[in-house]
Amino acid sequence: MKPRHLLLSLAIGASLVALAACKKEPSPDAAPGAATTPGETADQFIARVNDELRRMYPELTAAQWLSSTYINDDSQLLAAKGNERYLTQLNSWIEQARKFEGQQMTPETARAIQLLKLSTAMPAPKDPAKLEELAKLATKMEGMYGAGSYCTGEGDARKCRQLGELEDVLRSSRDYDQQLDAWQGWHTIAQPMRQDYVRFAELVNEGAREMGFADTGEMWRSGYDMSPAEIAAETDRLWDQVKPLYEQLHCYTRTKLQATYGVEKGQVNGLLPAHLMGNMWQQDWGNLWDMLEPYKGAGSLDITGTLERQAQANYTAAIGKAGPGITEDARFQAGREAQLQTARQMTERAQDFYTSLGMPRLPESYWSKTQFIKPLDRDVVCHASAWDMNFAGDVRTKMCIKPNEEDFTTIYHELGHVYYYLAYNKLPPLFQGGAHDGFHEAIGDTIVLSMTPDYLKSIGLVGDQQQSNEALINAQMRMALAKVSFLPFGLMIDRWRWGVFDGSIKPDQYNQAWWELKARYQGVAPATPRGEEFFDPGAKYHVPGNTPYTRYFLSHVLQFQFYKGLCDAAGYQGPLYECSFYGNKAAGQKFWAMLEKGSSQPWQSTLKELTGTEKMDASAVLEYFAPLQDWLKQQNEGQTCGWQATAGAPAPPRGN
């Protein structure tokens, strides 16, 4: 399952990042035109900011929604101007907040002021011209990504394919050259972004320095109720816990790729070929199930097959309603109606899990305003995302849903964001966010872990499940191909950006550093040379979309902690991997209580209330996958596992 971005990553993110432990030196000068209210207390200031933010937010999100679901020059202009207004206002609020430093205030107000200072992933310069330039660049790059196409041929033979079609090739084809063409083709869309991104990094760094940070990367790492150095070290510690499991999965996968494509094509100097992993960014290996399935047919979990049959049934029914002599136009319309019906049915199934825990049904506005499928009359950003439009219950998701397992679990993930929004909507806007950004990404994935074979059988997606070790290993492998394969990818993107922001990765080293980091962490390499004429980082949405990515790595640890805590709350006893808390109101009550806290307190306190500990820990990951890890060691016996990463890869920064 691919990780997804939160709302409005260009400007403020869907959740406001958590309180920083380190104190920054105040700036001696306020921003030009910063509004102040004589005699205003800190508590009154925060109340005013919350009120002003609540009033301006719907207009900003509407412009962003339009620019993502109807990409053209006009919508991008509106989004850029909305970002510009917001960032100008944010700079003003931050400068106004400085006058309260050192004054007595309630702990809640102190936390709100710190959250305000860290409430953007895109710190903007105070200079109005530079701020305007930054907003335009951000909107432009996201639009370039959303409208990206790989075109071949000339004249009538010209064929253009967008990301979804190219992903289908990687998902389904096992033709080495076709996959390489699709992978290389998508990466061409990022090349025009390169100089824009160089300038973008310069501008956000200027904004971060004006706020008192060394660079934007340090600012991002300051949002975790601990120092930048501590969170960097924490991610290293968590990675060290899970790395042995990943190495075993990597070794097994490399052997299978070589068996399928041959010893030479199935690896690149011991690393996995990027275009053969079934996923454009090698972050989810589930599409390689046909070659990685441990025991053919044992405990069959063919969710995609079931969903495709249901989609076909919807199409057949739509055709039947049209009656005999149906026209081609009517047949096409029936197909679109069936596609939308299938997407809504998949979403209703996901909603059912949340409501089974005692959570509310989604509001009617969700069903009327959500983008379920890809429109045919315009470019859209198909990258799945969840949106809180007004801090008050207008929630939506944006996807281009297809009837397959990956999209099915993605819906459960996105609804995790939506239910988090609904739970904390009663809080002031500055507290409407995850306990830290990793929490937001972990909510829906915690539900996905509870989608056991027995649960899938109960909702009619799979048949009777045989109880055997073979079926267990198959089920674990399916989950590992989504969860374990992702872990190093979750680290390397921000390792790259931290290096870009602190200057250790120069603009003329962007692509080299990207592939050195992918080699170091993922053990992945391109099959053909990727020089500096390319900008391969830009082929991943979160780079042009400016969404911090460490959150996704942390979420892949937290979700297992949450899952274990909720299984305990449900009174479950047995192997962790067999637990499903579907329908358990006690687990649901504990989950909802955590969601309601938002970012109103340090994440350590929120984590302890659910799990009993204040420390993020990957031991639940290892407990869950213990049977698979033992099995992989047996399969890899006699193999030389691990890989030799490219020498000279930049070391991850440690913060200040």
Side-chain angles (χ1 to χ4, degrees):
M1 178 173 56
K2 56 191 176 187
R4 275 62 56 183
H5 80 306
L6 297 181
L7 169 63
L8 295 183
S9 58
L10 288 175
I12 57 176
S15 64
L16 300 172
V17 293
L19 174 64
C22 59
K23 177 175 171 58
K24 299 295 169 184
E25 292 301 318
S27 171
D29 300 311
T36 58
T37 303
E40 187 177 47
T41 67
D43 292 345
Q44 290 169 335
F45 166 70
I46 286 299
R48 174 168 62 82
V49 170
N50 276 317
D51 183 58
E52 291 173 356
L53 181 56
R54 192 184 295 276
R55 289 202 307 269
M56 74 179 299
Y57 189 71
E59 180 182 350
L60 174 64
T61 54
Q64 290 286 354
W65 175 264
L66 183 63
S67 74
S68 290
T69 59
Y70 207 119
I71 299 173
N72 60 29
D73 291 343
D74 295 329
S75 64
Q76 289 189 40
L77 174 63
L78 292 174
K81 286 298 182 183
N83 270 329
E84 184 182 338
R85 286 194 300 275
Y86 172 75
L87 292 171
T88 300
Q89 181 62 68
L90 179 61
N91 280 346
S92 175
W93 285 330
I94 290 171
E95 289 299 333
Q96 293 172 56
R98 295 186 187 279
K99 69 180 181 181
F100 301 108
E101 292 180 355
Q103 295 186 16
Q104 288 292 113
M105 63 187 74
T106 65
E108 293 78 13
T109 294
R111 182 171 181 81
I113 287 177
Q114 288 286 19
L115 289 170
L116 176 66
K117 293 177 180 178
L118 292 165
S119 64
T120 177
M122 194 172 76
K126 297 174 185 176
D127 184 315
K130 291 180 178 179
L131 189 151
E132 180 183 12
E133 181 185 5
L134 176 63
K136 287 180 177 178
L137 280 174
T139 303
K140 176 186 176 184
M141 288 192 297
E142 186 176 33
M144 290 171 71
Y145 185 95
S149 293
Y150 170 48
C151 300
T152 56
E154 299 291 341
D156 293 341
R158 183 172 174 81
K159 179 181 180 181
C160 293
R161 291 177 290 174
Q162 290 193 310
L163 177 59
E165 296 170 281
L166 297 169
E167 285 184 306
D168 287 342
V169 175
L170 301 187
R171 178 183 296 113
S172 304
S173 174
R174 294 296 173 257
D175 183 292
Y176 183 95
D177 293 330
Q178 287 183 7
Q179 293 176 87
L180 182 60
D181 176 67
W183 184 87
Q184 290 177 335
W186 174 249
H187 284 69
T188 63
I189 69 102
Q191 289 175 262
M193 298 178 193
R194 187 181 179 110
Q195 289 308 309
D196 286 337
Y197 194 81
V198 172
R199 180 59 176 159
F200 176 86
E202 292 172 351
L203 290 169
V204 292
N205 266 349
E206 182 174 336
R209 286 192 295 269
E210 289 175 352
M211 292 173 62
F213 297 94
D215 58 74
T216 303
E218 185 190 79
M219 179 182 174
W220 287 4
R221 296 191 298 278
S222 296
Y224 291 95
D225 292 305
M226 54 177 60
S227 72
E230 288 171 331
I231 189 60
E234 186 76 348
T235 57
D236 286 339
R237 180 185 66 80
L238 295 170
W239 169 237
D240 286 342
Q241 280 187 275
V242 297
K243 185 178 179 182
L245 173 59
Y246 178 81
E247 288 177 337
Q248 291 296 321
L249 182 63
H250 182 283
C251 191
Y252 172 79
T253 302
R254 183 176 60 197
T255 299
K256 293 297 184 180
L257 286 172
Q258 289 180 288
T260 301
Y261 295 99
V263 174
E264 293 301 318
K265 288 187 174 182
Q267 53 84 38
V268 179
N269 298 323
L271 283 69
L272 306 177
H275 68 289
L276 297 182
M277 302 310 298
N279 175 271
M280 195 64 74
W281 311 280
Q282 310 84 52
Q283 68 185 60
D284 183 319
W285 304 349
N287 291 326
L288 302 186
W289 182 248
D290 57 302
M291 68 179 76
L292 299 183
E293 182 180 9
Y295 299 103
K296 297 300 180 184
S300 176
L301 296 173
D302 184 16
I303 297 174
T304 296
T306 303
L307 292 171
E308 288 176 343
R309 287 190 291 273
Q310 291 176 352
Q312 182 60 43
N314 288 337
Y315 176 67
T316 301
I319 293 293
K321 289 180 181 178
I326 183 173
T327 65
E328 282 302 312
D329 285 346
R331 186 180 299 275
F332 175 81
Q333 186 59 38
R336 291 289 292 173
E337 291 173 2
Q339 187 181 357
L340 177 59
Q341 181 184 5
T342 302
R344 289 176 63 98
Q345 288 171 340
M346 292 165 65
T347 307
E348 287 165 356
R349 277 206 187 96
Q351 176 189 238
D352 172 68
F353 198 117
Y354 290 89
T355 57
S356 82
L357 301 176
M359 298 184 188
R361 295 183 63 81
L362 296 170
E364 285 303 313
S365 60
Y366 170 87
W367 300 100
S368 62
K369 296 179 179 179
T370 278
Q371 175 187 294
F372 289 103
I373 61 176
K374 189 178 188 303
L376 298 179
D377 61 342
R378 60 189 187 270
D379 288 326
V380 301
V381 177
C382 277
H383 187 92
S385 55
W387 298 64
D388 183 351
M389 303 298 292
N390 64 355
F391 292 134
D394 182 357
V395 291
R396 309 174 190 177
T397 53
K398 174 186 62 60
M399 289 184 65
C400 300
I401 297 173
K402 296 181 180 180
N404 59 54
E405 179 180 354
E406 183 177 4
D407 282 6
F408 185 60
T409 54
T410 295
I411 297 167
Y412 283 69
H413 172 95
E414 296 302 339
L415 290 193
H417 291 309
V418 167
Y419 276 98
Y420 214 162
Y421 301 150
L422 293 174
Y424 61 52
N425 269 166
K426 69 181 187 303
L427 297 173
L430 286 174
F431 287 159
Q432 289 200 30
H436 69 52
D437 54 11
F439 276 65
H440 232 299
E441 298 300 328
I443 303 306
D445 283 354
T446 301
I447 301 295
V448 172
L449 289 174
S450 198
M451 294 167 63
T452 61
D454 284 345
Y455 164 75
L456 295 172
K457 177 188 173 184
S458 74
I459 62 172
L461 283 184
V462 301
D464 291 331
Q465 297 298 296
Q466 62 186 83
Q467 300 299 315
S468 68
N469 185 65
E470 289 79 8
L472 168 62
I473 296 302
N474 273 9
Q476 290 236 306
M477 180 63 80
R478 272 192 178 273
M479 192 65 77
L481 294 177
K483 303 295 184 182
V484 178
S485 68
F486 175 80
L487 288 163
F489 184 76
L491 275 182
M492 62 81 44
I493 286 188
D494 275 357
R495 291 297 199 263
W496 180 82
R497 284 190 290 197
W498 293 351
V500 168
F501 292 140
D502 71 18
S504 60
I505 297 175
K506 308 296 183 187
D508 62 355
Q509 302 168 335
Y510 276 3
N511 231 45
Q512 175 188 342
W514 177 260
W515 286 106
E516 286 176 345
L517 287 165
K518 286 183 76 69
R520 169 180 288 170
Y521 286 103
Q522 290 183 276
V524 165
T528 56
R530 305 294 295 178
E532 295 303 325
E533 68 273 24
F534 300 107
F535 181 52
D536 293 331
K540 174 63 179 170
Y541 171 79
H542 300 75
V543 173
N546 194 48
T547 306
Y549 214 80
T550 300
R551 63 182 61 173
Y552 298 106
F553 171 77
L554 295 176
S555 80
H556 275 65
V557 173
L558 285 170
Q559 64 192 251
F560 286 87
Q561 281 188 269
F562 293 170
Y563 174 60
K564 183 175 175 63
L566 291 170
C567 289
D568 290 343
Y572 173 78
Q573 295 182 342
L576 182 59
Y577 50 80
E578 290 183 356
C579 168
S580 178
F581 48 81
Y582 174 71
N584 190 283
K585 299 297 193 293
Q589 185 176 16
K590 197 163 190 178
F591 210 10
W592 188 258
M594 184 187 85
L595 302 183
E596 286 182 312
K597 296 292 175 57
S599 57
S600 63
Q601 63 183 17
W603 65 262
Q604 292 89 341
S605 299
T606 302
L607 181 64
K608 186 173 183 179
E609 290 170 8
L610 182 65
T611 68
T613 179
E614 294 184 343
K615 190 174 184 179
M616 292 183 286
D617 180 55
S619 60
V621 178
L622 302 179
E623 178 183 351
Y624 183 95
F625 286 113
L628 179 65
Q629 187 166 12
D630 290 341
W631 183 87
L632 286 170
K633 289 178 180 178
Q634 295 172 6
Q635 301 303 306
N636 294 331
E637 190 172 351
Q639 298 286 336
T640 302
C641 293
W643 60 89
Q644 194 68 36
T646 304
R654 295 287 180 169
N656 293 340

